[in-house]
Structures are given as C-alpha cells and as structure tokens.
C-alpha cells in the first residue's frame, strides 16, 4: 500500500491504483505490479505482444453481423435472400472495421462484444482486439493510457488515442491477464490480491482500500500522532483536568466526553482479545504518572512506548474521526422527540 501511494507522487486519485482479486494462493503471495492489468483475454489468432501500442478504447456494438431487429420479423421466400441479408450485414461491419483501422491503431478495446467476423478482420490487419471489458475497467484504462472513450468513428481528428510501451498476455495463478506497461500515467499500478476464498479477498480489499485512503492523505498532510490509544488517552486526560473547573450541568457533559475518548483504547484491547478493563486502567495510570508516550502494545498485551514501537497514526484522520463523532453526538442530542407510526392493527382485534 505504501509503495502504491508513493507512486502517485502526492496525488490523491486512487483510480490510478487498481485492486485485482485473484482467488487461489495465500495473502502473502499478493504483490504490486507496476502497470495496469486487465482481466480479459486476447482474441483468437491475434498478436500476443505489441510494443509502442496505439490504443483505442470504445463502447460500440460489434455484433451486427447477425440480424438483430427487436420486435420485428424478416420474411423471405428463399435461402438466397437470407444469404443476401447476411452479406449486407457483413458489408456494413467491414465498413465499420475499416473506419476503425483508419485511426492507425494496433490495439482495439471494446466495452461490448466483438463477434467472430470483425474479430477475424482485426486479426488479418494485425490489430489486437479485446472484447467485453467491464465498464469500470474501461474507464480506468482510458484514464491510465490517456485515451478517450469513443462510440463513433467518422472524425479521426477528434479522437484521442491511448499509448503504452508494451501490451502482452501474462499468467497469474491459473488465469491469463493482459498487462499494460509504460502507460501515459506512469504512476498507475495494480495491486494483485491472492487468497484462499472470495470472503478473504473481499476483507483484504476493504482493509487495503482503507489503508490507501489514509496513506494518500498522510502524504499531503505529514503530521502524525502516536497510536495504540495514546492520543485518545492524552485528550481524555486534558478533558478530565478541566472538569473540576466547569460548573453546572456542563461538567457532566465534559466528563462524558472524556469517557467517550477512553472508549477507543478499550475497543483496541477488546479486538486484540485482552482484558480491556485492566489494560485501560494501567494505561490511564501511566499517563497520570507523566508517561505521555504510553500506549497499548497488542503484540505483547501490555503497555508500551509508542515512539519506540513506531506505532503512529495520521493526524488528519484522527482529527476527522474526532470531529465527525462529536458532530454526530451533538446532532443526536438536538433531537427533541421521535415520531413513530402507530402499529398496524391486525385482524381479530390484536
């Protein structure tokens, strides 16, 4: 995650980081690929590797070599007429392929299907054709290669093509993928996640996305705080110090705010499977002794020095969490009453 974010060069555009889930293997086999991987296959009889690629990314029907008129019928009185219709459809498809070839491309990526006849025409022209690329993949690929999504082909001068130094087919596990290297957005990359099941991969993807979001903000706002519940305990101690100086009912709210801050170290200890009551009490005592860098060491299940252990968190993230929680609590307190609909009367007087 750190290597992927550092490649962005300070940008927070996470669309340049693709997360690809590949069932099989273990999480330790996950890796970062310096390029873009598309989970599709190259057409039959087409080149498996192309250098200095000129890429067109399109969203256009390439299946009109068959009759497809919804809600209509075509009646003929002989098989010769059927052959004429099929021949006319092929002529139209060939004209469309010729328009695409006029752009001077050697790679054609389509959002929709590419049927056998146009695929054969692309293969004869030495053009790599990739069909049925999912919409998210096409959008990200267009962004990474610098191309624009095309749906009409009458004005080549208005079309922006994508570029890549090399496009080739690679094997990861038991699946074939298409690798794009040397793309226009050189900071783009792909994180390939491996796992034994889809549940493991889904959880790993969520965790990785959270880490990428935090790291991308930390690169721009480099300030950090100590983790392991240390920052929350310091804030709770500061809040507790002003409780005796606060008069009236406000003191109760201030005291409750301090207790809420200590809930996070409690949650950390519970998630680690330790006795949260004992650990949080020890951590609070350490802070009142003046040990302002003390926090929870979840590896040993004890109190440790967060500076020595190198456990730190993003300042911007910590600030956002604190403000969001405070605003949510304030909004709930502002609710005067809750209106409920009367329960629906059932038959039989119940």
């Amino acid at each position: 995650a750190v290597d992927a974010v550092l490649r962005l060069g300070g940008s927070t555009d996470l669309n340049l980081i693709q997360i690809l889930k590949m069932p099989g293997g273990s999480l330790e086999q996950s890796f970062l690929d310096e390029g873009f991987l598309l989970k599709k296959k190259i057409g039959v009889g087409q080149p498996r590797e192309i250098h200095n690629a000129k890429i067109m990314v399109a969203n256009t029907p390439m299946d009109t070599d068959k009759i497809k008129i919804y809600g209509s019928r075509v009646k003929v009185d002989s098989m010769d007429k059927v052959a004429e219709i099929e021949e006319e459809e092929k002529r139209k498809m060939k004209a469309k392929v010729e328009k695409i070839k006029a752009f001077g491309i050697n790679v054609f990526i389509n959002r929709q299907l590419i049927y056998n006849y146009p695929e054969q025409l692309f293969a004869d022209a030495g053009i790599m054709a990739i069909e049925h690329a999912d919409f998210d993949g096409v959008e990200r690929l267009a962004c990474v290669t610098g191309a624009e999504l095309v749906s009409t082909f009458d004005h080549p001068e208005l079309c922006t093509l994508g570029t890549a130094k090399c496009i080739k087919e690679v094997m990861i596990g038991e699946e074939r993928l298409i690798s794009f290297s040397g793309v226009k957005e050189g900071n783009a990359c792909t994180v390939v996640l491996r796992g034994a099941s889809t549940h493991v991969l889904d959880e790993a993807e969520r965790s990785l996305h959270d880490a990428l979001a935090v790291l991308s903000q930390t690169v721009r706002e480099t300030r950090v705080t100590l983790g392991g519940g240390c920052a929350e305990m310091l804030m709770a101690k500061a809040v507790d110090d002003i409780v005796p100086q606060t008069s009236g009912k406000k003191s109760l709210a201030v005291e409750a705010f301090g207790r809420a801050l200590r809930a996070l170290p409690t949650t950390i200890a519970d998630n680690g499977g330790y006795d949260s009551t004992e650990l949080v009490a020890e951590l609070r005592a350490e802070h009142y002794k003046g040990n302002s860098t003390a926090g929870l060491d979840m590896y040993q299940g004890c109190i440790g020095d967060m500076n020595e252990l190198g456990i730190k968190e993003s300042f911007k993230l910590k600030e956002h969490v604190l403000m969001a929680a405070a605003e949510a609590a304030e909004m709930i307190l502002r609710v005067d009453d809750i209106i409920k609909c009367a329960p629906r009367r059932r038959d039989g007087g119940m």
Side-chain angles (χ1 to χ4, degrees):
V2 175
D3 293 338
V5 170
L6 290 178
R7 285 178 60 87
L8 297 180
S11 172
T12 57
D13 187 6
L14 295 182
N15 287 325
L16 297 178
I17 301 176
Q18 181 191 22
I19 301 176
L20 197 61
K21 296 182 290 185
M22 302 289 294
S26 61
L27 282 175
E28 288 77 11
Q29 295 176 335
S30 303
F31 64 93
L32 175 68
D33 187 273
E34 297 180 356
F36 185 89
L37 293 175
L38 188 63
K39 201 172 180 180
K40 289 295 171 184
K41 296 180 181 179
I42 300 172
V44 178
Q46 296 170 2
R48 283 325 192 232
E49 184 172 343
I50 287 183
H51 296 274
N52 300 320
K54 291 184 179 180
I55 308 166
M56 173 183 285
V57 183
N59 183 12
T60 184
M62 299 294 290
D63 55 354
T64 51
D65 56 331
K66 291 186 180 294
I67 300 172
K68 190 169 68 174
I69 307 173
Y70 295 106
S72 302
R73 292 182 180 180
V74 178
K75 291 185 177 181
V76 294
D77 53 9
S78 67
M79 291 302 296
D80 293 337
K81 295 294 181 68
V82 174
E84 289 178 11
I85 293 174
E86 292 180 349
E87 191 64 33
E88 179 63 18
E89 290 290 346
K90 285 187 176 183
R91 188 191 65 78
K92 289 182 178 180
M93 178 54 65
K94 186 173 182 180
K96 189 173 187 178
V97 172
E98 291 297 328
K99 286 183 179 180
I100 294 173
K101 288 164 56 178
F103 283 76
I105 63 169
N106 50 15
V107 179
F108 178 73
I109 302 172
N110 193 28
R111 168 70 179 83
Q112 302 181 41
L113 288 172
I114 302 177
Y115 272 28
N116 294 338
Y117 182 64
E119 187 178 62
Q120 176 189 341
L121 295 176
F122 284 126
D124 294 340
I127 297 175
M128 179 189 292
I130 303 167
E131 67 171 358
H132 216 199
D134 60 278
F135 189 75
D136 290 339
V138 164
E139 287 285 313
R140 186 179 285 110
L141 183 60
C143 174
V144 167
T145 59
E148 290 184 357
L149 207 58
V150 183
S151 57
T152 58
F153 311 99
D154 295 325
H155 303 285
E157 69 279 0
L158 301 178
C159 176
T160 302
L161 301 177
T163 57
K165 288 185 179 178
C166 180
I167 300 177
K168 62 181 179 180
E169 196 173 56
V170 296
M171 284 281 294
I172 297 179
E174 298 179 356
E175 294 194 39
R176 295 182 181 272
L177 295 93
I178 303 172
S179 170
F180 295 76
S181 58
V183 292
K184 184 176 182 180
E185 293 290 342
N187 46 7
C189 58
T190 300
V191 179
V192 180
L193 293 177
R194 305 300 308 279
S197 66
T198 55
H199 299 290
V200 173
L201 289 173
D202 290 341
E203 187 61 35
E205 182 186 22
R206 283 192 291 269
S207 300
L208 180 61
H209 184 271
D210 292 343
L212 291 173
V214 173
L215 288 170
S216 64
Q217 297 298 327
T218 306
V219 169
R220 302 186 67 178
E221 173 57 82
T222 57
R223 288 184 292 174
V224 294
T225 63
L226 295 177
C230 176
E232 286 78 13
M233 196 58 70
L234 284 171
M235 290 187 286
K237 182 177 179 296
V239 171
D240 290 341
D241 290 342
I242 66 173
V243 171
Q245 307 169 19
T246 308
S247 60
K249 294 182 179 179
K250 289 184 179 180
S251 64
L252 299 176
V254 175
E255 187 177 358
F257 196 89
R259 287 199 305 270
L261 288 170
R262 285 191 292 272
L264 194 134
T266 303
T267 304
I268 293 175
D270 288 336
N271 289 342
Y274 298 106
D275 187 350
S276 59
T277 305
E278 181 179 354
L279 282 178
V280 173
E282 291 179 9
L283 179 60
R284 187 178 185 184
E286 286 293 326
H287 277 271
Y288 273 93
K289 290 177 184 177
N291 186 3
S292 60
T293 60
L296 298 179
D297 180 0
M298 288 292 96
Y299 289 104
Q300 304 297 330
C302 61
I303 307 302
D305 191 313
M306 298 295 101
N307 264 334
E308 293 180 1
L309 295 173
I311 300 175
K312 298 180 180 180
E313 298 182 53
S314 167
F315 170 79
K316 189 169 184 179
L317 172 67
K318 188 68 67 178
E319 181 186 32
H320 175 74
V321 169
L322 183 63
M323 293 179 64
E327 290 173 0
E330 183 180 354
M331 186 179 299
I332 293 173
L333 291 174
R334 286 179 181 274
V335 176
D336 296 325
D337 199 0
I338 298 175
I339 300 175
K340 289 185 178 180
C341 294
R344 181 169 60 89
R345 183 179 294 274
R346 297 179 179 272
D347 295 337
M350 296 183 63

